[in-house]
Amino acid sequence: AVILEQNPRRCAGPHRRMDSKEDASQLKLGEEFKDARCLWNAEVAVILEQLMGRAGNKLKSLAMVEDTLAYVTKFKNFRNKADVQEARKFAAEEIEKGVIEGFEMAVINNCGILNEEEAMELIPTLNDKFQNREGELQDFLDQLTERFSE
Amino acid sequence: MFFWLNRFDKVDVPPICFGKGISEKIQDKLREKVEGKCTGRYGYTILVARVVKIHPGRLDVVTGHAHFGVDYQAIVFKPFKNEVLPTEVSLVTEQGFWCQAGPLEIFVGTEGIPKDYIFNPTDKLYSSEDEDKLIRKGSACRIRILGMTVDADKFKVVGTMKGPYLGPDQ
């Protein structure tokens, strides 16, 4: 059934909300992103290649997609979909156990972080999780990075 | 950071599109509305990956258009303050350099470059004292985002490479 509306149009401009409390160093990602799935560069590459293969030149944001694909291809750590899925399976188990957050895992992957000291320096929230647990973070990083195929 | 995000948007469909194939037209209108656009709330919407549900339409008695609510999943890129990410250098000047991370452009001024990097105006690059590390067009550089504002259609972001494990060839 069709419902008639009197004034459905609202005055709306581009949404420019800027939350100054958002801060990656404290894992404050805002309401919209706190539960959203962080994508690794390799995953974005797989998804974009598939969708471009289907939609091709019909994409409205073709230039942005091409630039993004070039970027994630340059900075990905996995050669193909199978390698990504295997690493993601390992990552999901660790996230489920509360060892690490999705955002932290994505930064480690996307930046290709190999050692404990580097991870703690670049991702301050890991300091609290792994304080006084020397070696555990390095073990985790070794298990993750041995899955890198690029 | 790239995200897989569940979103909801309203799409406005003119009467000429009513009838067979309206579902495809709604999806087209949605893509026109959000793909390739930037907002402060969601960042850059790279593309609409999947349309989950198209809600029943509501007719606008004034214009004759129908408004449809659409649940969909999109790939977005949203930068955050203090986020560390790999970038590709796109332009080097005496005032600093510009670098790219997907759709995002980041400016690193001279205050964000360590003092031991020297600008070479002939080759348009920065080189470390021992010339072991270079910042030139096309090179990779790891950056931390210091701050940002949102303009009409893009983020204006300032970054730094000062700090441990930041900079070129990381």
Side-chain angles (χ1 to χ4, degrees):
Chain A
V2 163
I3 301 163
L4 300 182
E5 284 191 75
Q6 293 301 312
N7 292 306
R9 284 188 165 272
R10 287 184 193 167
C11 191
H15 192 103
R16 298 185 190 186
R17 180 181 148 212
M18 277 291 301
D19 189 347
S20 59
K21 297 174 200 154
E22 291 174 1
D23 188 336
S25 65
Q26 297 174 56
L27 277 186
K28 288 181 180 171
L29 306 181
E31 269 313 301
E32 307 289 353
F33 293 92
K34 64 183 173 81
D35 297 320
R37 176 175 163 146
C38 299
L39 292 176
W40 304 348
N41 289 341
E43 292 178 312
V44 176
V46 167
I47 296 168
L48 291 185
E49 279 162 6
Q50 283 182 346
L51 290 174
M52 276 187 85
R54 268 189 256 150
N57 292 336
K58 291 179 200 164
L59 288 171
K60 307 290 178 206
S61 56
L62 187 61
M64 187 181 281
V65 171
E66 285 175 342
D67 286 346
T68 303
L69 185 55
Y71 169 77
V72 295
T73 303
K74 181 168 179 151
F75 293 111
K76 65 179 185 177
N77 288 321
F78 303 94
R79 204 173 299 127
N80 55 46
K81 188 175 171 182
D83 292 348
V84 178
Q85 283 176 333
E86 212 238 298
R88 181 53 89 167
K89 197 174 152 198
F90 164 70
E93 287 167 5
E94 300 304 302
I95 292 169
E96 187 69 37
K97 283 190 249 175
V99 171
I100 197 163
E101 300 285 337
F103 188 90
E104 293 163 337
M105 178 72 81
V107 174
I108 287 172
N109 254 305
N110 294 341
C111 292
I113 294 172
L114 301 176
N115 70 65
E116 196 171 47
E117 192 189 315
E118 190 179 359
M120 298 261 212
E121 186 63 51
L122 297 178
I123 310 169
T125 45
L126 289 179
N127 273 310
D128 297 330
K129 293 192 173 83
F130 290 94
Q131 207 171 34
N132 303 324
R133 289 160 64 189
E134 287 87 16
E136 275 188 50
L137 179 55
Q138 189 61 57
D139 284 341
F140 167 76
L141 288 172
D142 290 340
Q143 287 182 70
L144 177 68
T145 55
E146 75 185 14
R147 289 166 166 83
F148 286 176
S149 54
E150 278 275 7
Chain B
M1 178 66 68
F2 291 100
F3 291 89
W4 181 271
L5 203 59
N6 294 317
R7 279 169 62 172
F8 173 84
D9 243 293
K10 284 191 181 168
V11 172
D12 184 15
V13 177
I16 199 165
C17 297
F18 295 176
K20 199 175 172 184
I22 189 171
S23 178
E24 284 71 35
K25 298 217 169 69
I26 291 168
Q27 293 185 45
D28 274 347
K29 291 278 179 195
L30 174 68
R31 287 177 208 283
E32 255 177 57
K33 184 179 177 184
V34 303
E35 277 186 358
K37 306 289 193 304
C38 174
T39 64
R41 185 176 179 184
Y42 296 118
Y44 292 90
T45 302
I46 310 293
L47 53 76
V48 172
R50 194 166 83 94
V51 172
V52 175
K53 183 179 177 181
I54 300 174
H55 296 268
R58 296 172 72 89
L59 194 64
D60 180 343
V61 69
V62 174
T63 63
H65 290 206
H67 302 283
F68 291 87
V70 185
D71 289 316
Y72 62 101
Q73 292 170 330
I75 298 176
V76 305
F77 183 90
K78 175 93 194 296
F80 292 91
K81 183 180 159 188
N82 287 322
E83 181 184 350
V84 174
L85 66 177
T87 67
E88 183 176 348
V89 177
S90 55
L91 178 69
V92 182
T93 71
E94 205 170 355
Q95 289 75 38
F97 64 90
W98 292 91
C99 50
Q100 205 81 24
L104 184 73
E105 208 169 41
I106 303 170
F107 178 67
V108 180
T110 49
E111 61 280 357
I113 301 173
K115 293 277 181 279
D116 59 331
Y117 278 80
I118 299 153
F119 179 64
N120 179 332
T122 315
D123 298 325
K124 292 257 192 276
L125 56 81
Y126 283 89
S127 63
S128 58
E129 231 165 29
D130 52 9
E131 294 188 8
D132 191 30
K133 295 187 179 179
L134 299 175
I135 302 168
R136 66 164 101 196
K137 184 173 174 177
S139 61
C141 191
R142 199 186 270 170
I143 298 295
R144 181 187 298 279
I145 292 177
L146 285 180
M148 55 196 170
T149 57
V150 179
D151 206 347
D153 61 348
K154 62 180 191 178
F155 281 86
K156 289 187 175 171
V157 180
V158 170
T160 182
M161 55 173 264
K162 272 184 178 171
Y165 304 104
L166 298 178
D169 298 325
Q170 294 290 347

